[in-house]
Amino acid sequence: MAATQPLNMEENVFSSWLNSIRRSMHWRTVDIATASLIAVASGLVFWIVDFLIPAPYALLSAVVPGLGGTLNGFWYIGGVIAMLIVRKPGAAIYAETLGAALELLLGNQWGAGGSLVTGIIQGAFTEIVFLIAAYRIWNIWIAMIAGASTAVGGFVYTAVTEYIGMPVDGLYLAAYFTANLVSGIVISGALMWWLFTTIAKTGILEQFESGRSLMQEE
């Protein structure tokens, strides 16, 4: 009997996790519209950053090789802010991918790989954090973890497409990874949580559980 209890507990935990995901699966029209609006806004930010970032990126990297990665977080914002507001499975991938597609259509120096493909990867790395949490945990810490995960996704793409087979200094990679990770935590994590709470306090998100729950906490 005792041997079956841990198994039953594991089954109950998994069942609860799965049921929580199922309950949040339904997308309303307002969810789709809002996620799309966030994606478009994010895509415009991505595109603007594409052209503003090269000079400060080069300057930071000249000071400390790899330090330019501290600016990468601006490309990681779409999935996190969309998920914090809409709170639906797939919101992170949807917003980050659609935003990257708009960035690509507007034109930049990165092409399809550096825009659309990396957007899909980053959105997936954002999504997995909220999936593991069964779309039930909503606070600044989960936002920061999601931002860190998104940064890891961005680093993986960069490492595979730019650094494999190249004579890259290990210290440079360590510095770049750390700077990139901090950027994800601060810009796409903590800053997006601040943006979400600021928007929610206006009352404009009262149609969403995210807005109502935050107002109740006030």
Side-chain angles (χ1 to χ4, degrees):
M1 183 67 176
T4 63
Q5 288 181 344
L7 182 59
N8 289 336
M9 289 179 61
E10 290 177 6
E11 289 177 348
N12 289 337
V13 169
F14 178 75
S15 178
S16 175
W17 176 79
L18 195 59
N19 287 336
S20 179
I21 294 173
R22 286 172 176 167
R23 283 194 298 270
S24 60
M25 285 293 292
H26 177 67
W27 282 63
R28 303 167 300 167
T29 301
V30 68
D31 298 324
I32 298 171
T34 302
S36 300
L37 181 61
I38 292 170
V40 170
S42 299
L44 290 174
V45 171
F46 299 159
W47 182 68
I48 292 170
V49 170
D50 288 342
F51 295 98
L52 294 181
I53 208 171
Y57 196 98
L59 179 62
L60 288 171
S61 296
V63 174
V64 177
L67 192 60
T70 54
L71 301 174
N72 289 353
F74 291 106
W75 284 305
Y76 303 153
I77 62 172
V80 178
I81 187 64
M83 187 60 78
L84 291 176
I85 292 175
V86 178
R87 299 190 179 182
K88 297 293 182 182
I93 295 177
Y94 177 79
E96 193 75 23
T97 301
L98 185 58
L102 176 61
E103 175 194 14
L104 176 61
L105 287 173
L106 291 173
N108 62 15
Q109 65 271 47
W110 313 121
S115 298
L116 186 58
V117 175
T118 190
I120 295 170
I121 293 170
Q122 288 162 190
F125 272 74
T126 307
E127 188 81 35
I128 195 169
V129 172
F130 296 99
L131 173 63
I132 292 171
Y135 304 97
R136 289 188 297 188
I137 301 175
W138 307 102
N139 54 42
I140 190 172
W141 302 109
I142 197 73
M144 292 169 70
I145 293 169
S149 181
T150 311
V152 171
F155 177 82
V156 168
Y157 175 83
T158 300
V160 170
T161 58
E162 296 185 22
Y163 298 144
I164 284 185
M166 300 289 289
V168 181
D169 185 355
L171 288 177
Y172 168 81
L173 275 182
Y176 178 76
F177 176 82
T178 303
N180 177 67
L181 188 68
V182 170
S183 184
I185 293 170
V186 174
I187 297 175
S188 64
L191 184 60
M192 289 304 100
W193 176 260
W194 173 83
L195 180 60
F196 154 65
T197 56
T198 300
I199 294 171
K201 287 175 182 176
T202 67
I204 199 172
L205 300 179
E206 61 183 11
Q207 295 184 69
F208 298 90
E209 190 275 331
S210 60
R212 293 191 298 271
S213 63
L214 188 68
M215 294 300 288
Q216 289 170 3
E217 293 173 7
E218 292 293 316

